[in-house]
Amino acid sequence: MKKWIAIVIGFFFMQDVHAQRGRIHGHKDTTDLTFSGTKINPYQQEFDSTGKWQVNGYVDAYYSHYSDSSNGNGFQKFPTISPRNQQFGLNMIQLSAKYNSAKFRSTITLFGGDCPKAAWSNDYNYIQEANLGFNLYKKLWLDMGFFRTHIGLESIQPRENITMSLATTTYFEPYYLSGAKLTWQHSDRLTLQLNVFNSFNQFVETNKNKAVGFSMNYLASKKLSFTYSNMLCDESSLINMIKQTRFYNNFCLTYKSNKWVLGLEANYGQQTHSCLSDPSQTAMMFSSLIAGKYRITPQLATYMRGEVFHDPNEILTGPVLNENHAIVGLEIAGLTAGFEFKPIPNSFVRVECRALSNYNQHIFQYQQMASKVRTEINFGMGVWF
């Protein structure tokens, strides 16, 4: 038993050493992955392009408490990260293989756990991403396959976010997409991308329409980054004869220094023939979040996040029932605060509290009573190599 403990300790010690060596020799540091999960060109963060395979692993465990009764499937409302109430659970365990060269690149990530069960595709539940691409000309790349979303500030993996939980706006944004991306790395500062996908948030096509989009990322400095993405699609069902055209816009601003990590996201969407009071009218939604982390020491940090989600005509939310079993759109505000400790650079231990409030509708349940407020306590740990 002592031998195995020594081996495990030695393994994580070597991971720390490798991380330090990477910083010394100028390689990009993957021990701080904040905001990296929704990059429009994630290959920018790879160590090199020498044509070598890289195998990576990640495991994330949690314990959560909610003041809201679980649904029939055992998950909370808006279930993604830490979806089970008063239980120890495994958000995800995943294994990735990545290949990056001057002419060809590929990423394959398989995962399991509560997160894919609660919020991932039913058709390909174990595939987080599987895509490949080749260089068309100089800095122009074509990639095809299954992708994690490039939209938003937060990703499906807590290690890539400031907080443990996901904001409400993140829950209703696309998590996964299938299609093709045409990416032009104009310079180290500017990246442009054209997209075509099967759907707004599906691997498998739901109708005969495709979703198209444009993305742009601009690095104003080594610390400051701006990203804009949009998507135009029609998500109406095959049996619905009314065309519902959706135009979704996402803006993200990030800042990272030795002490501070800050992020701001704003979203605006509209959809034709979708107003609940008058189906002939165009409906609109907006949402926003702001998150910040202050690193007190290299190992200890504190963080906060505020969020607003306004979708009164349920463009993104789908049917949500209030205490009177009437269909309503969501109007939610939330506040999250917590602490993070990093025992080794490629890990995290987080404890956080969160409060969600639905302005006018009682959509939560506590002790058989309808409530418009939910409180949460999340404790999570993650490590990657």
Side-chain angles (χ1 to χ4, degrees), residues 172-174 200-201 231 233-236 244-249 267-276 281-287 309-320 327-331:
F172 290 108
E173 287 170 348
F200 186 78
N201 186 36
M231 194 175 296
C233 57
D234 178 8
E235 296 302 302
S236 56
Q244 294 178 304
T245 302
R246 178 184 302 171
F247 186 48
Y248 190 77
N249 299 269
N267 303 279
Y268 171 78
Q270 61 181 37
Q271 185 168 288
T272 61
H273 302 102
S274 298
C275 188
L276 290 180
Q281 298 298 311
T282 297
M284 293 173 287
M285 60 78 57
F286 71 86
S287 62
F309 185 82
H310 180 79
D311 186 15
N313 292 287
E314 49 144 26
I315 297 175
L316 299 182
T317 60
V320 177
I327 296 177
V328 297
L330 286 183
E331 297 179 86

mmCIF file of all heavy atoms in Angstrom, residues 172-174 200-201 231 233-236 244-249 267-276 281-287 309-320 327-331:
data_model
loop_
_atom_site.group_PDB
_atom_site.id
_atom_site.type_symbol
_atom_site.label_atom_id
_atom_site.label_comp_id
_atom_site.label_asym_id
_atom_site.label_seq_id
_atom_site.Cartn_x
_atom_site.Cartn_y
_atom_site.Cartn_z
ATOM 1 N N PHE A 172 -28.467 27.419 -21.241
ATOM 2 C CA PHE A 172 -29.341 27.492 -22.406
ATOM 3 C C PHE A 172 -28.596 27.826 -23.699
ATOM 4 O O PHE A 172 -29.218 27.916 -24.757
ATOM 5 C CB PHE A 172 -30.463 28.505 -22.160
ATOM 6 C CG PHE A 172 -31.451 28.031 -21.128
ATOM 7 C CD1 PHE A 172 -31.497 28.596 -19.865
ATOM 8 C CD2 PHE A 172 -32.329 27.000 -21.427
ATOM 9 C CE1 PHE A 172 -32.401 28.155 -18.918
ATOM 10 C CE2 PHE A 172 -33.241 26.546 -20.479
ATOM 11 C CZ PHE A 172 -33.275 27.122 -19.219
ATOM 12 N N GLU A 173 -27.300 28.030 -23.618
ATOM 13 C CA GLU A 173 -26.494 28.170 -24.829
ATOM 14 C C GLU A 173 -26.168 26.785 -25.384
ATOM 15 O O GLU A 173 -26.330 25.779 -24.698
ATOM 16 C CB GLU A 173 -25.192 28.915 -24.516
ATOM 17 C CG GLU A 173 -25.375 30.393 -24.255
ATOM 18 C CD GLU A 173 -24.128 31.053 -23.724
ATOM 19 O OE1 GLU A 173 -23.177 30.327 -23.340
ATOM 20 O OE2 GLU A 173 -24.097 32.284 -23.679
ATOM 21 N N PRO A 174 -25.684 26.719 -26.638
ATOM 22 C CA PRO A 174 -25.268 25.406 -27.163
ATOM 23 C C PRO A 174 -24.129 24.816 -26.341
ATOM 24 O O PRO A 174 -23.213 25.530 -25.935
ATOM 25 C CB PRO A 174 -24.793 25.739 -28.585
ATOM 26 C CG PRO A 174 -25.444 27.029 -28.934
ATOM 27 C CD PRO A 174 -25.569 27.786 -27.647
ATOM 28 N N PHE A 200 -28.721 24.195 -33.568
ATOM 29 C CA PHE A 200 -28.273 25.123 -32.534
ATOM 30 C C PHE A 200 -27.615 24.407 -31.363
ATOM 31 O O PHE A 200 -26.712 24.920 -30.739
ATOM 32 C CB PHE A 200 -29.469 25.948 -32.043
ATOM 33 C CG PHE A 200 -29.117 27.040 -31.073
ATOM 34 C CD1 PHE A 200 -28.576 28.227 -31.518
ATOM 35 C CD2 PHE A 200 -29.356 26.881 -29.708
ATOM 36 C CE1 PHE A 200 -28.255 29.247 -30.621
ATOM 37 C CE2 PHE A 200 -29.044 27.886 -28.811
ATOM 38 C CZ PHE A 200 -28.489 29.074 -29.275
ATOM 39 N N ASN A 201 -28.076 23.204 -31.060
ATOM 40 C CA ASN A 201 -27.514 22.466 -29.925
ATOM 41 C C ASN A 201 -27.843 20.985 -30.072
ATOM 42 O O ASN A 201 -28.485 20.390 -29.205
ATOM 43 C CB ASN A 201 -28.065 23.004 -28.599
ATOM 44 C CG ASN A 201 -27.391 22.374 -27.393
ATOM 45 O OD1 ASN A 201 -26.199 22.096 -27.418
ATOM 46 N ND2 ASN A 201 -28.153 22.139 -26.338
ATOM 47 N N MET A 231 -25.096 33.173 -34.511
ATOM 48 C CA MET A 231 -25.643 31.979 -35.149
ATOM 49 C C MET A 231 -27.039 32.293 -35.678
ATOM 50 O O MET A 231 -27.873 32.853 -34.963
ATOM 51 C CB MET A 231 -25.686 30.800 -34.177
ATOM 52 C CG MET A 231 -25.931 29.462 -34.868
ATOM 53 S SD MET A 231 -25.852 28.042 -33.743
ATOM 54 C CE MET A 231 -24.139 28.115 -33.237
ATOM 55 N N CYS A 233 -30.329 30.463 -37.487
ATOM 56 C CA CYS A 233 -30.876 29.121 -37.684
ATOM 57 C C CYS A 233 -32.394 29.144 -37.601
ATOM 58 O O CYS A 233 -32.995 30.145 -37.206
ATOM 59 C CB CYS A 233 -30.320 28.150 -36.637
ATOM 60 S SG CYS A 233 -30.634 28.649 -34.930
ATOM 61 N N ASP A 234 -32.996 28.035 -37.971
ATOM 62 C CA ASP A 234 -34.438 27.813 -37.825
ATOM 63 C C ASP A 234 -34.618 26.495 -37.084
ATOM 64 O O ASP A 234 -34.356 25.430 -37.630
ATOM 65 C CB ASP A 234 -35.121 27.769 -39.189
ATOM 66 C CG ASP A 234 -36.631 27.495 -39.079
ATOM 67 O OD1 ASP A 234 -37.139 27.496 -37.944
ATOM 68 O OD2 ASP A 234 -37.264 27.263 -40.116
ATOM 69 N N GLU A 235 -35.056 26.569 -35.826
ATOM 70 C CA GLU A 235 -35.153 25.380 -34.989
ATOM 71 C C GLU A 235 -36.575 24.843 -34.898
ATOM 72 O O GLU A 235 -36.874 24.010 -34.038
ATOM 73 C CB GLU A 235 -34.636 25.690 -33.578
ATOM 74 C CG GLU A 235 -33.152 26.041 -33.534
ATOM 75 C CD GLU A 235 -32.279 24.938 -34.101
ATOM 76 O OE1 GLU A 235 -32.325 23.802 -33.603
ATOM 77 O OE2 GLU A 235 -31.551 25.213 -35.080
ATOM 78 N N SER A 236 -37.466 25.321 -35.756
ATOM 79 C CA SER A 236 -38.848 24.819 -35.731
ATOM 80 C C SER A 236 -38.885 23.362 -36.155
ATOM 81 O O SER A 236 -38.059 22.901 -36.946
ATOM 82 C CB SER A 236 -39.732 25.662 -36.653
ATOM 83 O OG SER A 236 -39.220 25.679 -37.971
ATOM 84 N N GLN A 244 -39.574 29.758 -37.821
ATOM 85 C CA GLN A 244 -39.095 30.512 -36.662
ATOM 86 C C GLN A 244 -37.585 30.710 -36.804
ATOM 87 O O GLN A 244 -36.778 29.860 -36.410
ATOM 88 C CB GLN A 244 -39.423 29.775 -35.370
ATOM 89 C CG GLN A 244 -40.915 29.682 -35.090
ATOM 90 C CD GLN A 244 -41.220 28.902 -33.830
ATOM 91 O OE1 GLN A 244 -40.821 27.758 -33.679
ATOM 92 N NE2 GLN A 244 -41.954 29.531 -32.916
ATOM 93 N N THR A 245 -37.213 31.845 -37.368
ATOM 94 C CA THR A 245 -35.807 32.147 -37.612
ATOM 95 C C THR A 245 -35.187 32.767 -36.366
ATOM 96 O O THR A 245 -35.686 33.777 -35.854
ATOM 97 C CB THR A 245 -35.652 33.108 -38.796
ATOM 98 O OG1 THR A 245 -36.249 32.524 -39.958
ATOM 99 C CG2 THR A 245 -34.186 33.386 -39.075
ATOM 100 N N ARG A 246 -34.108 32.166 -35.902
ATOM 101 C CA ARG A 246 -33.418 32.629 -34.694
ATOM 102 C C ARG A 246 -32.074 33.258 -35.063
ATOM 103 O O ARG A 246 -31.309 32.698 -35.856
ATOM 104 C CB ARG A 246 -33.184 31.467 -33.732
ATOM 105 C CG ARG A 246 -32.430 31.849 -32.456
ATOM 106 C CD ARG A 246 -32.156 30.612 -31.606
ATOM 107 N NE ARG A 246 -33.397 29.931 -31.257
ATOM 108 C CZ ARG A 246 -33.445 28.725 -30.675
ATOM 109 N NH1 ARG A 246 -32.314 28.063 -30.427
ATOM 110 N NH2 ARG A 246 -34.612 28.192 -30.380
ATOM 111 N N PHE A 247 -31.800 34.425 -34.478
ATOM 112 C CA PHE A 247 -30.511 35.085 -34.650
ATOM 113 C C PHE A 247 -29.953 35.363 -33.267
ATOM 114 O O PHE A 247 -30.502 36.174 -32.516
ATOM 115 C CB PHE A 247 -30.662 36.378 -35.442
ATOM 116 C CG PHE A 247 -29.350 37.037 -35.768
ATOM 117 C CD1 PHE A 247 -28.299 36.318 -36.307
ATOM 118 C CD2 PHE A 247 -29.181 38.395 -35.542
ATOM 119 C CE1 PHE A 247 -27.088 36.930 -36.615
ATOM 120 C CE2 PHE A 247 -27.975 39.025 -35.833
ATOM 121 C CZ PHE A 247 -26.931 38.287 -36.385
ATOM 122 N N TYR A 248 -28.857 34.674 -32.928
ATOM 123 C CA TYR A 248 -28.289 34.727 -31.582
ATOM 124 C C TYR A 248 -26.909 35.376 -31.648
ATOM 125 O O TYR A 248 -26.090 35.035 -32.508
ATOM 126 C CB TYR A 248 -28.186 33.319 -31.008
ATOM 127 C CG TYR A 248 -27.842 33.262 -29.541
ATOM 128 C CD1 TYR A 248 -28.807 33.519 -28.582
ATOM 129 C CD2 TYR A 248 -26.558 32.934 -29.109
ATOM 130 C CE1 TYR A 248 -28.515 33.473 -27.236
ATOM 131 C CE2 TYR A 248 -26.251 32.874 -27.760
ATOM 132 C CZ TYR A 248 -27.232 33.146 -26.825
ATOM 133 O OH TYR A 248 -26.923 33.089 -25.488
ATOM 134 N N ASN A 249 -26.655 36.314 -30.738
ATOM 135 C CA ASN A 249 -25.393 37.063 -30.701
ATOM 136 C C ASN A 249 -24.752 36.928 -29.325
ATOM 137 O O ASN A 249 -25.437 37.059 -28.300
ATOM 138 C CB ASN A 249 -25.633 38.545 -31.000
ATOM 139 C CG ASN A 249 -26.232 38.770 -32.370
ATOM 140 O OD1 ASN A 249 -25.524 38.960 -33.345
ATOM 141 N ND2 ASN A 249 -27.564 38.733 -32.448
ATOM 142 N N ASN A 267 -25.423 38.567 -24.153
ATOM 143 C CA ASN A 267 -26.093 37.846 -25.229
ATOM 144 C C ASN A 267 -27.383 38.552 -25.612
ATOM 145 O O ASN A 267 -28.107 39.062 -24.742
ATOM 146 C CB ASN A 267 -26.428 36.412 -24.798
ATOM 147 C CG ASN A 267 -25.206 35.640 -24.359
ATOM 148 O OD1 ASN A 267 -24.467 35.133 -25.173
ATOM 149 N ND2 ASN A 267 -25.000 35.561 -23.048
ATOM 150 N N TYR A 268 -27.654 38.562 -26.918
ATOM 151 C CA TYR A 268 -28.918 39.090 -27.398
ATOM 152 C C TYR A 268 -29.420 38.166 -28.500
ATOM 153 O O TYR A 268 -28.677 37.797 -29.417
ATOM 154 C CB TYR A 268 -28.765 40.503 -27.951
ATOM 155 C CG TYR A 268 -30.007 40.996 -28.666
ATOM 156 C CD1 TYR A 268 -31.102 41.438 -27.938
ATOM 157 C CD2 TYR A 268 -30.083 40.976 -30.053
ATOM 158 C CE1 TYR A 268 -32.257 41.866 -28.583
ATOM 159 C CE2 TYR A 268 -31.234 41.406 -30.707
ATOM 160 C CZ TYR A 268 -32.313 41.846 -29.961
ATOM 161 O OH TYR A 268 -33.451 42.257 -30.594
ATOM 162 N N GLY A 269 -30.701 37.759 -28.399
ATOM 163 C CA GLY A 269 -31.269 36.881 -29.399
ATOM 164 C C GLY A 269 -32.675 37.298 -29.768
ATOM 165 O O GLY A 269 -33.392 37.897 -28.952
ATOM 166 N N GLN A 270 -33.072 36.985 -30.990
ATOM 167 C CA GLN A 270 -34.450 37.220 -31.419
ATOM 168 C C GLN A 270 -34.892 36.071 -32.308
ATOM 169 O O GLN A 270 -34.086 35.419 -32.963
ATOM 170 C CB GLN A 270 -34.581 38.553 -32.147
ATOM 171 C CG GLN A 270 -33.765 38.685 -33.410
ATOM 172 C CD GLN A 270 -33.930 40.051 -34.054
ATOM 173 O OE1 GLN A 270 -34.033 41.068 -33.376
ATOM 174 N NE2 GLN A 270 -33.978 40.084 -35.379
ATOM 175 N N GLN A 271 -36.215 35.815 -32.291
ATOM 176 C CA GLN A 271 -36.772 34.700 -33.056
ATOM 177 C C GLN A 271 -38.139 35.097 -33.592
ATOM 178 O O GLN A 271 -39.001 35.564 -32.838
ATOM 179 C CB GLN A 271 -36.879 33.464 -32.178
ATOM 180 C CG GLN A 271 -37.341 32.209 -32.900
ATOM 181 C CD GLN A 271 -37.152 30.972 -32.060
ATOM 182 O OE1 GLN A 271 -36.041 30.511 -31.846
ATOM 183 N NE2 GLN A 271 -38.241 30.418 -31.564
ATOM 184 N N THR A 272 -38.329 34.901 -34.881
ATOM 185 C CA THR A 272 -39.590 35.288 -35.515
ATOM 186 C C THR A 272 -40.723 34.348 -35.113
ATOM 187 O O THR A 272 -40.500 33.193 -34.762
ATOM 188 C CB THR A 272 -39.439 35.280 -37.042
ATOM 189 O OG1 THR A 272 -39.094 33.961 -37.476
ATOM 190 C CG2 THR A 272 -38.358 36.250 -37.491
ATOM 191 N N HIS A 273 -41.934 34.862 -35.135
ATOM 192 C CA HIS A 273 -43.156 34.097 -34.847
ATOM 193 C C HIS A 273 -43.054 33.335 -33.514
ATOM 194 O O HIS A 273 -43.360 32.159 -33.436
ATOM 195 C CB HIS A 273 -43.460 33.105 -35.975
ATOM 196 C CG HIS A 273 -43.631 33.747 -37.311
ATOM 197 N ND1 HIS A 273 -42.658 33.733 -38.279
ATOM 198 C CD2 HIS A 273 -44.680 34.449 -37.839
ATOM 199 C CE1 HIS A 273 -43.077 34.373 -39.350
ATOM 200 N NE2 HIS A 273 -44.307 34.826 -39.109
ATOM 201 N N SER A 274 -42.626 34.039 -32.467
ATOM 202 C CA SER A 274 -42.364 33.353 -31.200
ATOM 203 C C SER A 274 -42.879 34.093 -29.975
ATOM 204 O O SER A 274 -42.632 33.644 -28.852
ATOM 205 C CB SER A 274 -40.858 33.120 -31.042
ATOM 206 O OG SER A 274 -40.360 32.301 -32.072
ATOM 207 N N CYS A 275 -43.567 35.187 -30.133
ATOM 208 C CA CYS A 275 -44.084 35.917 -28.979
ATOM 209 C C CYS A 275 -45.271 35.154 -28.388
ATOM 210 O O CYS A 275 -46.204 34.785 -29.111
ATOM 211 C CB CYS A 275 -44.496 37.321 -29.396
ATOM 212 S SG CYS A 275 -44.929 38.398 -28.023
ATOM 213 N N LEU A 276 -45.261 34.903 -27.085
ATOM 214 C CA LEU A 276 -46.320 34.110 -26.456
ATOM 215 C C LEU A 276 -47.677 34.799 -26.545
ATOM 216 O O LEU A 276 -48.706 34.141 -26.728
ATOM 217 C CB LEU A 276 -45.966 33.834 -24.995
ATOM 218 C CG LEU A 276 -44.795 32.873 -24.738
ATOM 219 C CD1 LEU A 276 -44.568 32.713 -23.240
ATOM 220 C CD2 LEU A 276 -45.064 31.518 -25.376
ATOM 221 N N GLN A 281 -45.585 37.822 -33.906
ATOM 222 C CA GLN A 281 -44.553 38.803 -33.620
ATOM 223 C C GLN A 281 -43.204 38.145 -33.309
ATOM 224 O O GLN A 281 -43.137 36.978 -32.910
ATOM 225 C CB GLN A 281 -44.971 39.675 -32.442
ATOM 226 C CG GLN A 281 -46.231 40.495 -32.691
ATOM 227 C CD GLN A 281 -46.053 41.476 -33.832
ATOM 228 O OE1 GLN A 281 -45.069 42.222 -33.880
ATOM 229 N NE2 GLN A 281 -47.002 41.469 -34.764
ATOM 230 N N THR A 282 -42.140 38.920 -33.479
ATOM 231 C CA THR A 282 -40.780 38.475 -33.158
ATOM 232 C C THR A 282 -40.508 38.649 -31.674
ATOM 233 O O THR A 282 -40.816 39.701 -31.096
ATOM 234 C CB THR A 282 -39.746 39.271 -33.972
ATOM 235 O OG1 THR A 282 -39.944 39.012 -35.369
ATOM 236 C CG2 THR A 282 -38.328 38.875 -33.587
ATOM 237 N N ALA A 283 -39.966 37.631 -31.047
ATOM 238 C CA ALA A 283 -39.640 37.680 -29.621
ATOM 239 C C ALA A 283 -38.148 37.920 -29.436
ATOM 240 O O ALA A 283 -37.333 37.560 -30.288
ATOM 241 C CB ALA A 283 -40.050 36.381 -28.937
ATOM 242 N N MET A 284 -37.788 38.497 -28.291
ATOM 243 C CA MET A 284 -36.385 38.818 -27.993
ATOM 244 C C MET A 284 -36.005 38.311 -26.612
ATOM 245 O O MET A 284 -36.851 38.141 -25.738
ATOM 246 C CB MET A 284 -36.163 40.326 -28.087
ATOM 247 C CG MET A 284 -36.306 40.901 -29.489
ATOM 248 S SD MET A 284 -36.246 42.709 -29.538
ATOM 249 C CE MET A 284 -37.856 43.108 -28.836
ATOM 250 N N MET A 285 -34.717 38.076 -26.434
ATOM 251 C CA MET A 285 -34.177 37.690 -25.133
ATOM 252 C C MET A 285 -32.800 38.338 -24.967
ATOM 253 O O MET A 285 -32.154 38.715 -25.947
ATOM 254 C CB MET A 285 -34.048 36.171 -25.003
ATOM 255 C CG MET A 285 -33.150 35.457 -26.001
ATOM 256 S SD MET A 285 -31.343 35.564 -25.696
ATOM 257 C CE MET A 285 -31.230 34.902 -24.034
ATOM 258 N N PHE A 286 -32.376 38.445 -23.708
ATOM 259 C CA PHE A 286 -31.002 38.869 -23.439
ATOM 260 C C PHE A 286 -30.543 38.241 -22.141
ATOM 261 O O PHE A 286 -31.346 37.821 -21.292
ATOM 262 C CB PHE A 286 -30.881 40.396 -23.390
ATOM 263 C CG PHE A 286 -31.525 41.029 -22.177
ATOM 264 C CD1 PHE A 286 -30.829 41.146 -20.983
ATOM 265 C CD2 PHE A 286 -32.822 41.505 -22.231
ATOM 266 C CE1 PHE A 286 -31.410 41.726 -19.859
ATOM 267 C CE2 PHE A 286 -33.420 42.085 -21.119
ATOM 268 C CZ PHE A 286 -32.713 42.196 -19.932
ATOM 269 N N SER A 287 -29.248 38.148 -22.001
ATOM 270 C CA SER A 287 -28.660 37.603 -20.775
ATOM 271 C C SER A 287 -27.254 38.142 -20.625
ATOM 272 O O SER A 287 -26.646 38.627 -21.592
ATOM 273 C CB SER A 287 -28.640 36.071 -20.813
ATOM 274 O OG SER A 287 -27.826 35.606 -21.884
ATOM 275 N N PHE A 309 -30.685 36.512 -16.633
ATOM 276 C CA PHE A 309 -31.220 35.789 -17.786
ATOM 277 C C PHE A 309 -32.660 36.218 -17.982
ATOM 278 O O PHE A 309 -33.491 36.072 -17.079
ATOM 279 C CB PHE A 309 -31.134 34.280 -17.561
ATOM 280 C CG PHE A 309 -31.560 33.465 -18.751
ATOM 281 C CD1 PHE A 309 -30.675 33.219 -19.788
ATOM 282 C CD2 PHE A 309 -32.833 32.948 -18.832
ATOM 283 C CE1 PHE A 309 -31.059 32.472 -20.893
ATOM 284 C CE2 PHE A 309 -33.237 32.193 -19.921
ATOM 285 C CZ PHE A 309 -32.340 31.956 -20.963
ATOM 286 N N HIS A 310 -32.969 36.752 -19.170
ATOM 287 C CA HIS A 310 -34.296 37.312 -19.449
ATOM 288 C C HIS A 310 -34.787 36.730 -20.762
ATOM 289 O O HIS A 310 -34.365 37.141 -21.842
ATOM 290 C CB HIS A 310 -34.198 38.841 -19.522
ATOM 291 C CG HIS A 310 -35.510 39.521 -19.796
ATOM 292 N ND1 HIS A 310 -36.464 39.734 -18.825
ATOM 293 C CD2 HIS A 310 -36.031 40.033 -20.933
ATOM 294 C CE1 HIS A 310 -37.505 40.353 -19.354
ATOM 295 N NE2 HIS A 310 -37.268 40.540 -20.631
ATOM 296 N N ASP A 311 -35.694 35.763 -20.679
ATOM 297 C CA ASP A 311 -36.259 35.111 -21.858
ATOM 298 C C ASP A 311 -37.765 34.927 -21.643
ATOM 299 O O ASP A 311 -38.261 33.809 -21.479
ATOM 300 C CB ASP A 311 -35.567 33.767 -22.094
ATOM 301 C CG ASP A 311 -36.004 33.106 -23.390
ATOM 302 O OD1 ASP A 311 -36.616 33.789 -24.246
ATOM 303 O OD2 ASP A 311 -35.756 31.895 -23.568
ATOM 304 N N PRO A 312 -38.518 36.029 -21.623
ATOM 305 C CA PRO A 312 -39.940 35.953 -21.251
ATOM 306 C C PRO A 312 -40.798 35.180 -22.243
ATOM 307 O O PRO A 312 -41.908 34.750 -21.887
ATOM 308 C CB PRO A 312 -40.359 37.426 -21.182
ATOM 309 C CG PRO A 312 -39.403 38.137 -22.090
ATOM 310 C CD PRO A 312 -38.111 37.405 -21.940
ATOM 311 N N ASN A 313 -40.305 34.989 -23.466
ATOM 312 C CA ASN A 313 -41.088 34.270 -24.471
ATOM 313 C C ASN A 313 -40.512 32.888 -24.770
ATOM 314 O O ASN A 313 -40.807 32.316 -25.812
ATOM 315 C CB ASN A 313 -41.178 35.097 -25.752
ATOM 316 C CG ASN A 313 -42.014 36.347 -25.577
ATOM 317 O OD1 ASN A 313 -43.229 36.279 -25.484
ATOM 318 N ND2 ASN A 313 -41.339 37.491 -25.497
ATOM 319 N N GLU A 314 -39.687 32.390 -23.845
ATOM 320 C CA GLU A 314 -39.117 31.043 -23.899
ATOM 321 C C GLU A 314 -38.530 30.663 -25.264
ATOM 322 O O GLU A 314 -38.760 29.579 -25.784
ATOM 323 C CB GLU A 314 -40.138 29.996 -23.449
ATOM 324 C CG GLU A 314 -41.503 30.081 -24.077
ATOM 325 C CD GLU A 314 -42.125 28.713 -24.314
ATOM 326 O OE1 GLU A 314 -41.791 27.767 -23.601
ATOM 327 O OE2 GLU A 314 -42.933 28.614 -25.241
ATOM 328 N N ILE A 315 -37.753 31.584 -25.838
ATOM 329 C CA ILE A 315 -37.061 31.288 -27.088
ATOM 330 C C ILE A 315 -36.095 30.129 -26.902
ATOM 331 O O ILE A 315 -36.060 29.173 -27.676
ATOM 332 C CB ILE A 315 -36.303 32.525 -27.603
ATOM 333 C CG1 ILE A 315 -37.255 33.656 -27.935
ATOM 334 C CG2 ILE A 315 -35.459 32.170 -28.826
ATOM 335 C CD1 ILE A 315 -36.557 34.942 -28.332
ATOM 336 N N LEU A 316 -35.275 30.207 -25.831
ATOM 337 C CA LEU A 316 -34.256 29.191 -25.572
ATOM 338 C C LEU A 316 -34.683 28.189 -24.516
ATOM 339 O O LEU A 316 -34.229 27.045 -24.522
ATOM 340 C CB LEU A 316 -32.947 29.857 -25.122
ATOM 341 C CG LEU A 316 -32.277 30.825 -26.092
ATOM 342 C CD1 LEU A 316 -30.981 31.350 -25.489
ATOM 343 C CD2 LEU A 316 -31.989 30.152 -27.424
ATOM 344 N N THR A 317 -35.544 28.605 -23.593
ATOM 345 C CA THR A 317 -35.797 27.771 -22.417
ATOM 346 C C THR A 317 -36.741 26.608 -22.688
ATOM 347 O O THR A 317 -36.722 25.617 -21.968
ATOM 348 C CB THR A 317 -36.386 28.621 -21.281
ATOM 349 O OG1 THR A 317 -37.624 29.200 -21.721
ATOM 350 C CG2 THR A 317 -35.436 29.735 -20.899
ATOM 351 N N GLY A 318 -37.579 26.727 -23.719
ATOM 352 C CA GLY A 318 -38.593 25.705 -23.883
ATOM 353 C C GLY A 318 -39.664 25.879 -22.813
ATOM 354 O O GLY A 318 -39.618 26.800 -21.997
ATOM 355 N N PRO A 319 -40.650 24.995 -22.769
ATOM 356 C CA PRO A 319 -41.739 25.154 -21.799
ATOM 357 C C PRO A 319 -41.270 24.961 -20.362
ATOM 358 O O PRO A 319 -40.695 23.932 -20.016
ATOM 359 C CB PRO A 319 -42.741 24.064 -22.204
ATOM 360 C CG PRO A 319 -41.930 23.060 -22.960
ATOM 361 C CD PRO A 319 -40.842 23.823 -23.649
ATOM 362 N N VAL A 320 -41.480 25.961 -19.525
ATOM 363 C CA VAL A 320 -41.189 25.902 -18.093
ATOM 364 C C VAL A 320 -42.498 26.155 -17.357
ATOM 365 O O VAL A 320 -43.195 27.142 -17.639
ATOM 366 C CB VAL A 320 -40.134 26.946 -17.683
ATOM 367 C CG1 VAL A 320 -39.907 26.910 -16.180
ATOM 368 C CG2 VAL A 320 -38.830 26.696 -18.421
ATOM 369 N N ILE A 327 -47.293 27.734 -18.678
ATOM 370 C CA ILE A 327 -46.015 27.878 -19.369
ATOM 371 C C ILE A 327 -45.547 29.329 -19.256
ATOM 372 O O ILE A 327 -46.273 30.262 -19.573
ATOM 373 C CB ILE A 327 -46.144 27.481 -20.851
ATOM 374 C CG1 ILE A 327 -46.508 26.001 -20.959
ATOM 375 C CG2 ILE A 327 -44.851 27.770 -21.604
ATOM 376 C CD1 ILE A 327 -46.723 25.541 -22.379
ATOM 377 N N VAL A 328 -44.305 29.508 -18.799
ATOM 378 C CA VAL A 328 -43.742 30.848 -18.624
ATOM 379 C C VAL A 328 -42.327 30.870 -19.196
ATOM 380 O O VAL A 328 -41.668 29.848 -19.316
ATOM 381 C CB VAL A 328 -43.699 31.261 -17.134
ATOM 382 C CG1 VAL A 328 -45.104 31.343 -16.553
ATOM 383 C CG2 VAL A 328 -42.838 30.299 -16.323
ATOM 384 N N GLY A 329 -41.878 32.063 -19.544
ATOM 385 C CA GLY A 329 -40.483 32.273 -19.892
ATOM 386 C C GLY A 329 -39.692 32.622 -18.646
ATOM 387 O O GLY A 329 -40.247 33.120 -17.652
ATOM 388 N N LEU A 330 -38.387 32.356 -18.688
ATOM 389 C CA LEU A 330 -37.562 32.544 -17.494
ATOM 390 C C LEU A 330 -37.010 33.962 -17.407
ATOM 391 O O LEU A 330 -36.533 34.523 -18.395
ATOM 392 C CB LEU A 330 -36.402 31.557 -17.502
ATOM 393 C CG LEU A 330 -36.721 30.101 -17.179
ATOM 394 C CD1 LEU A 330 -35.439 29.279 -17.151
ATOM 395 C CD2 LEU A 330 -37.436 29.973 -15.842
ATOM 396 N N GLU A 331 -37.074 34.511 -16.195
ATOM 397 C CA GLU A 331 -36.429 35.777 -15.860
ATOM 398 C C GLU A 331 -35.720 35.556 -14.530
ATOM 399 O O GLU A 331 -36.340 35.598 -13.475
ATOM 400 C CB GLU A 331 -37.457 36.896 -15.776
ATOM 401 C CG GLU A 331 -38.167 37.167 -17.099
ATOM 402 C CD GLU A 331 -39.206 38.269 -16.983
ATOM 403 O OE1 GLU A 331 -38.824 39.443 -17.121
ATOM 404 O OE2 GLU A 331 -40.382 37.949 -16.740
#
